[in-house]
Amino acid sequence: DTAVSQTPKYLVTQMGNDKSIKCEQNLGHDTMYWYKQDSKKFLKIMFSYNNKELIINETVPNRFSPKSPDKAHLNLHINSLELGDSAVYFCASSQDLIRRLAESQETQYFGPGTRLLVL
Amino acid sequence: GEDVEQSLFLSVREGDSSVINCTYTDSSSTYLYWYKQEPGAGLQLLTYIFSNMDMKQDQRLTVLLNKKDKHLSLRIADTQTGDSAIYFCAESMRGTYKYIFGTGTRLKVLA
């Protein structure tokens, strides 16, 4: 049973292209995230959605646009890809904030990652 | 401010104990976490500790929290070659959705 899944696992593309990465979670969580992990393995949050509403939007180029069709899905669309976009992108999910605090559930689950290489 | 720091590398011999350290700056942290990332894989939650606890033990893992010094450590007893990975500490703040991750410590276990 896959808790947080991402597709594709690998993505190789040319500069200037537009691409999307999909994420789905079957944990019943309300909050989903996108992280970027660079070549030095530093992990930075990019976006977070709670119940389809954007709640965290870090300093990310506006070429990156997250879309949440429902609370189980958070997709990441990237326009005009650049060399510096090459990284591993991780999706994650966690329980709704209020329920986390009330039920002492405080865990964030990660997907396997999408390795993006821009040539 | 928000900053979580870890030493980048740690090398131990198989069977020894490993201690991975982490310092954080935000005193409003609610939970502190340890994640493990194996090569080519995602992050796997190992354990977490609530900020009002000093210690948590789970089989070979012991987490120590010194809230005064804002220092978190993960001790792995009887380290095995399968423990070789990158270990991330992370913090989350009460009332926010934000998780801040450390820089990661690469643990190498020598046979």
Side-chain angles (χ1 to χ4, degrees):
Chain A
D1 287 344
T2 304
V4 183
S5 59
Q6 294 178 229
T7 54
K9 189 170 181 183
Y10 299 96
L11 183 54
V12 182
T13 188
Q14 300 281 346
M15 271 175 57
N17 284 350
D18 304 336
K19 290 291 176 187
S20 292
I21 307 171
K22 295 185 177 181
C23 178
E24 177 181 1
Q25 53 94 6
N26 63 6
L27 297 165
H29 286 166
D30 302 286
T31 310
M32 296 183 74
Y33 309 78
W34 276 109
Y35 288 86
K36 179 181 180 181
Q37 187 176 43
D38 63 23
S39 58
K40 294 182 180 174
K41 304 297 185 184
F42 297 146
L43 198 66
K44 294 289 183 188
I45 190 165
M46 300 172 68
F47 301 102
S48 178
Y49 269 73
N50 181 61
N51 279 317
K52 303 193 295 174
E53 185 182 336
L54 182 66
I55 51 170
I56 294 175
N57 185 353
E58 292 294 289
T59 309
V60 176
N62 58 13
R63 297 182 295 104
F64 290 77
S65 52
K67 285 191 170 47
S68 182
D70 55 63
K71 72 176 192 179
H73 295 84
L74 181 62
N75 303 324
L76 183 65
H77 189 76
I78 315 171
N79 288 329
S80 302
L81 278 154
E82 299 178 357
L83 294 177
D85 297 333
S86 295
V88 183
Y89 292 84
F90 286 102
C91 177
S93 74
S94 68
Q95 191 55 278
D96 175 76
L97 183 65
I98 302 301
R99 288 179 63 184
R100 275 162 44 195
L101 296 176
E103 299 172 15
S104 297
Q105 291 183 14
E106 188 66 36
T107 52
Q108 190 177 54
Y109 294 90
F110 280 78
T114 295
R115 282 138 192 85
L116 171 65
L117 178 60
V118 182
L119 302 175
Chain B
E2 307 161 344
D3 206 6
V4 180
E5 301 213 349
Q6 303 175 235
S7 50
L8 288 180
F9 299 99
L10 176 65
S11 182
V12 299
R13 294 210 171 274
E14 192 175 16
D16 288 350
S17 292
S18 309
V19 179
I20 304 171
N21 295 303
C22 171
T23 56
Y24 60 97
T25 55
D26 199 319
S27 56
S28 60
S29 295
T30 309
Y31 286 92
L32 294 132
Y33 310 82
W34 283 105
Y35 284 84
K36 176 183 179 183
Q37 185 180 29
E38 296 183 11
L43 276 72
Q44 172 197 355
L45 178 70
L46 287 178
T47 186
Y48 65 92
I49 189 167
F50 191 46
S51 57
N52 68 356
M53 297 167 64
D54 298 323
M55 187 182 92
K56 182 176 179 182
Q57 187 149 8
D58 184 0
Q59 298 182 341
R60 292 191 298 122
L61 304 179
T62 303
V63 179
L64 294 177
L65 176 61
N66 181 329
K67 206 173 174 184
K68 174 175 163 287
D69 294 339
K70 300 192 184 75
H71 183 264
L72 181 75
S73 67
L74 174 69
R75 180 177 180 270
I76 307 172
D78 187 24
T79 315
Q80 303 297 307
T81 53
D83 295 325
S84 291
I86 302 175
Y87 290 81
F88 290 92
C89 68
E91 59 174 348
S92 66
M93 272 64 76
R94 176 172 284 275
T96 78
Y97 291 92
K98 206 165 181 180
Y99 293 74
I100 308 296
F101 282 80
T103 48
T105 298
R106 284 164 176 74
L107 173 65
K108 186 172 181 179
V109 182
L110 306 170

